[in-house]
Amino acid sequence: MMSNNSYDAKLQMELENLIIQDYHKLYSCAFRMIGNHQDTEDVLQNSFLLAYKNLSTFRSESKLFTWLYRIVINECYKHFNYINKLPLVKITEDLGVTEQEFFDSIEYTDNFDDDLVIDELREKCLQAFLKCLPKKQRVCFLLKTCTGLKNREIAEILNMSVENVKVTLFRGRKQLQELFEMRCSLIDPEKPCKCQLWIKFMKDHSLPLPAGYQQIKTDELRKTHFKNLSLLEKIDYLYTVDQKYDQKEISDKIKKIAANIV
């Protein structure tokens, strides 16, 4: 029979390996729930600290990855917020015009060449769409899109039935699809909402422009294959997180956290 010390050491090693192996998935999901890189790093570090501190409470009847993901999601919930109206909707209502009239009133220019600003603007818009989703819909969508988990795994993490996960995913995707279909020119070039138009509007109204961003998809979005994706595939693609990690750096960081706990 394995001694308690041996079992604890083995479990700690499994947790360490799991964090390193799934770091990108955990980061992607947390980033999409929170919306900025600094807070995402802080949330993940807090989550890993909690996991190590409470490892003795882990019960082997559940899966370690389910337990870890649940900790990360619960920490993300502290940063969760919800909006009833997109910023665009609020602006047009305040101006007393329709969305189409709003965009028609802005002279379009396609020669804005600062891709970082355009990327940042697009990310803010994607976050606004997500903030319109109720909490469970947002989390189910992100766990599916950013981590590729199966419905039964999402159900275990969120303590939901598989059927409930399916329904929640369907509703969340349907709402996102409706938001995108009505506006976004990335999804359909004929739609009115273009990042450059927002930049023009912000400049005309002396609003601060985004400073730039590290979540660049500009080159990918220009590829022909994006145009050939289905609507849902385009939405899923827009919410993927292209973050590059140094495996050794992550490993050293996790080992340092573990060493400070035990």
Side-chain angles (χ1 to χ4, degrees):
M1 181 178 294
M2 187 181 294
S3 67
N4 285 340
N5 287 341
S6 297
Y7 176 76
D8 290 345
K10 180 175 181 292
L11 196 57
Q12 182 185 324
M13 181 64 70
E14 287 180 10
L15 177 61
E16 183 178 302
N17 290 336
L18 175 61
I19 292 173
I20 294 170
Q21 172 188 307
D22 278 25
Y23 189 86
H24 175 73
K25 294 179 180 180
L26 291 166
Y27 190 98
S28 299
C29 189
F31 172 73
R32 284 298 176 205
M33 285 188 68
I34 295 165
N36 70 76
H37 291 289
Q38 182 59 56
D39 287 344
T40 298
E41 291 283 0
D42 291 344
V43 162
L44 286 185
Q45 180 158 313
N46 289 341
S47 298
F48 300 153
L49 281 168
L50 283 172
Y52 277 109
K53 284 180 178 178
N54 295 288
L55 194 55
S56 61
T57 68
F58 171 72
R59 297 292 177 262
S60 56
E61 58 263 22
S62 63
K63 296 175 183 176
L64 188 61
F65 102 90
T66 302
W67 183 75
L68 174 62
Y69 272 67
R70 192 175 295 153
I71 291 173
V72 173
I73 294 298
N74 286 337
E75 284 299 296
C76 288
Y77 278 167
K78 297 175 184 178
H79 292 258
F80 185 93
N81 52 45
Y82 177 81
I83 58 175
N84 292 318
K85 294 178 182 177
L86 292 169
L88 166 62
V89 175
K90 182 72 170 61
I91 289 172
T92 54
E93 285 181 351
D94 290 345
L95 294 174
V97 298
T98 66
E99 290 183 31
Q100 187 64 54
E101 289 170 336
F102 171 75
F103 286 116
D104 287 345
S105 69
I106 305 173
E107 182 182 351
Y108 175 66
T109 173
D110 61 359
N111 61 359
F112 193 88
D113 59 1
D114 193 333
D115 286 341
L116 285 178
V117 175
I118 292 175
D119 289 333
E120 169 74 348
L121 212 56
R122 182 174 63 245
E123 288 297 320
K124 288 183 179 298
C125 201
L126 291 175
Q127 283 299 127
F129 284 168
L130 279 179
K131 288 178 181 179
C132 288
L133 298 184
K135 179 169 69 175
K136 280 289 174 66
Q137 290 182 17
R138 189 195 303 190
V139 177
C140 280
F141 171 77
L142 292 177
L143 283 172
K144 191 70 173 179
T145 302
C146 295
T147 68
L149 294 177
K150 295 179 172 61
N151 289 347
R152 61 174 174 76
E153 294 170 326
I154 296 173
E156 291 171 7
I157 292 169
L158 300 180
N159 287 320
M160 298 166 61
S161 69
V162 173
E163 190 58 37
N164 199 359
V165 168
K166 290 179 181 177
V167 171
T168 304
L169 268 173
F170 173 79
R171 290 175 177 169
R173 279 185 157 148
K174 185 173 185 294
Q175 185 168 342
L176 279 175
Q177 181 175 333
E178 290 171 353
L179 290 170
F180 275 99
E181 275 185 318
M182 292 172 59
R183 302 175 176 87
C184 184
S185 62
L186 291 173
I187 297 298
D188 180 353
E190 299 301 316
K191 298 305 177 184
C193 190
K194 297 176 174 63
C195 298
Q196 292 92 332
L197 287 179
W198 277 107
I199 292 169
K200 172 82 162 100
F201 177 79
M202 295 168 80
K203 281 185 171 180
D204 289 349
H205 292 78
S206 301
L207 299 172
L209 286 171
Y213 198 70
Q214 301 302 317
Q215 187 52 33
I216 302 173
K217 289 195 179 73
T218 304
D219 291 339
E220 288 293 323
L221 288 172
R222 288 173 176 162
K223 287 186 177 179
T224 304
H225 82 268
F226 183 75
K227 299 176 183 177
N228 298 326
L229 297 177
S230 70
L231 175 60
L232 286 178
E233 287 173 330
K234 287 181 180 180
I235 292 172
D236 282 354
Y237 172 78
L238 286 171
Y239 281 106
T240 58
V241 176
D242 293 338
Q243 190 77 354
K244 306 301 181 186
Y245 302 101
D246 183 288
Q247 195 75 8
K248 185 179 184 306
E249 184 179 335
I250 295 170
S251 178
D252 290 345
K253 181 191 300 185
I254 301 309
K255 289 177 180 176
K256 184 176 180 181
I257 292 174
N260 289 333
I261 297 299
V262 296

